[in-house]
Amino acid sequence: MESKPKFSIKIKVMFLVLLLFTLGGVALAAWVTDEYDRARNETIQEIKESGGTIDREEEIEFNVNEPEDDSLNQLNILLVGVDDDDGTARTDTIMIGRYAPDEEEVKLVSIMRDTYVDIPGRGYNKINAAFAFGGLDLLRETIEKNFDLEIQHYAQVNFDSFRRVVDTVAPDGIEIDIENRMYYAEQATDFEIDFQPGTHIMDGSDALKYVRFRNDSDNDFGRVQRQQELLSILQSEILSLSGVTRIPSVLGSVEPYIQTNISNSEMISYGRDFFLNAPDEIETLTIPVENGFSHEYYSHAGAVLELDMEKNAEALQKFLKGESSQVSVREESVGGDANERNLN
């Protein structure tokens, strides 16, 4: 799918906004509120009917000092995808996002879940163990300790929200080209992923399977690459003219699934800047970087990615500061025993 030219997108967005305001600011505000409330209520009703709970009603510990600079020139946010299908919350998606409105720049760092790090008070283990041991706050401490990176904000997202975003932003589906067959099955739960080579039009459920698949030679590296690919596609979809009109529905649909400490005023400010000054692309980095790790095995942690910490920390800092170019995901296969090769 080709990305839309930035200049064309901005013209369309600005034209739409001016047109709506011309028709009446009050009517625009009412429309936005109605669409947001309608989508939010539909999501809440669906969650209740399935016996689930509203994630944002649960309190999250995230102890950070208030940032000295509140000018909104830069946002660092810890993005965590949470799966609690069996009642135990765990994460296999850990990302750090940085948005700098003044530079019209969005950067995304994916940290492999098997990255071997020093977890404060717990010793060395996989980085996703930090979340299991102490939730988002311990995960934040772990990232700060190992990579010397302060993070002030978080967004914890249930995987169901990803499905709803895809279906809302792209109701006709998104086009994905698959080179090799992707197959995985769990007999106990009747869960199956089976994509044949070729072009697929995926709805939200299929897209979620696509980004969570890790049962091939690329393992987690392939999954991270697919996650970054889907985020770029969704960015292009939502910045299209039709996508912009669905923004209130998108926000309302996913709000019950998201827990964050970003204030409403910050969201409004960042959202306005993003849609009127959209970046050309999402720049991405994967940790560990190429030639910056080795495959190791420890009895308490299993198969891990042991980092050259100095090299990875330096690469992360340079990337976020704009001192290095975009770094793609490695394509070399990842080792690990058979028990490691599953979706969780």
Side-chain angles (χ1 to χ4, degrees), residues 45-284:
Q45 184 63 29
E46 179 180 308
I47 293 174
K48 290 180 177 179
E49 290 177 354
S50 65
T53 58
I54 308 301
D55 291 336
R56 64 182 296 116
E57 294 178 353
E58 303 174 4
E59 185 176 352
I60 287 182
E61 183 178 3
F62 201 77
N63 299 313
V64 296
N65 296 322
E66 288 299 321
E68 296 180 359
D69 181 9
D70 59 356
S71 62
L72 301 180
N73 288 329
Q74 182 174 286
L75 173 70
N76 285 344
I77 180 170
L78 177 60
L79 304 168
V80 175
V82 176
D83 175 16
D84 57 0
D85 288 341
D86 60 0
T88 302
R90 59 185 178 271
T91 179
D92 56 17
T93 302
I94 301 171
M95 296 181 175
I96 301 167
R98 171 172 288 189
Y99 175 46
D102 290 350
E103 286 78 32
E104 300 180 16
E105 179 179 84
V106 175
K107 295 191 174 186
L108 188 66
V109 179
S110 297
I111 303 180
M112 307 291 292
R113 69 175 203 161
D114 291 341
T115 299
Y116 198 56
V117 292
D118 187 3
I119 302 174
R122 294 283 186 164
Y124 279 86
N125 210 319
K126 296 179 180 180
I127 194 168
N128 68 336
F131 183 84
F133 291 146
L136 274 173
D137 199 44
L138 185 56
L139 179 58
R140 174 195 59 79
E141 287 186 58
T142 301
I143 292 173
E144 290 184 359
K145 179 176 183 178
N146 289 269
F147 299 102
D148 191 27
L149 176 66
E150 292 189 3
I151 301 173
Q152 299 290 346
H153 299 285
Y154 71 83
Q156 179 172 300
V157 183
N158 187 296
F159 281 126
D160 284 336
S161 66
F162 177 84
R163 172 178 57 83
R164 294 191 69 90
V165 166
V166 173
D167 289 336
T168 304
V169 173
D172 296 326
I174 55 178
E175 183 177 306
I176 299 293
D177 291 322
I178 295 178
E179 294 185 5
N180 302 304
R181 187 188 182 192
M182 302 169 64
Y183 181 77
Y184 172 79
E186 291 179 353
Q187 294 183 353
T189 61
D190 293 327
F191 177 80
E192 183 179 75
I193 298 174
D194 191 1
F195 296 119
Q196 297 291 338
T199 300
H200 295 255
I201 304 298
M202 297 187 180
D203 61 10
S205 296
D206 284 340
L208 181 58
K209 291 179 179 180
Y210 177 73
V211 299
R212 297 201 66 195
F213 180 79
R214 67 188 291 262
N215 295 78
D216 59 10
S217 60
D218 290 332
N219 206 290
D220 265 338
F221 284 98
R223 173 159 61 179
V224 165
Q225 189 174 35
R226 285 186 288 274
Q227 290 172 353
Q228 294 174 348
E229 172 194 4
L230 258 293
L231 287 175
S232 294
I233 292 174
L234 289 175
Q235 180 200 23
S236 296
E237 289 286 345
I238 205 169
L239 288 175
S240 68
L241 181 59
S242 60
V244 169
T245 64
R246 299 190 185 103
I247 291 171
S249 297
V250 172
L251 296 177
S253 294
V254 303
E255 189 262 2
Y257 290 110
I258 298 176
Q259 293 168 281
T260 182
N261 63 347
I262 302 175
S263 68
N264 289 336
S265 62
E266 288 176 313
M267 286 186 185
I268 292 171
S269 178
Y270 284 122
R272 179 194 63 229
D273 290 337
F274 181 80
F275 290 112
L276 294 180
N277 299 285
D280 291 318
E281 62 179 347
I282 298 176
E283 297 181 63
T284 60

Side-chain angles (χ1 to χ4, degrees), residues 264-323:
N264 289 336
S265 62
E266 288 176 313
M267 286 186 185
I268 292 171
S269 178
Y270 284 122
R272 179 194 63 229
D273 290 337
F274 181 80
F275 290 112
L276 294 180
N277 299 285
D280 291 318
E281 62 179 347
I282 298 176
E283 297 181 63
T284 60
L285 173 74
T286 299
I287 297 294
V289 296
E290 186 173 2
N291 300 321
F293 72 99
S294 61
H295 299 292
E296 303 294 343
Y297 183 91
Y298 298 103
S299 59
H300 69 285
V304 303
L305 304 174
E306 187 153 17
L307 274 59
D308 177 333
M309 193 56 68
E310 181 178 353
K311 182 174 184 176
N312 280 273
E314 181 181 5
L316 176 59
Q317 293 290 338
K318 287 185 176 180
F319 175 73
L320 293 178
K321 293 177 181 178
E323 298 174 7

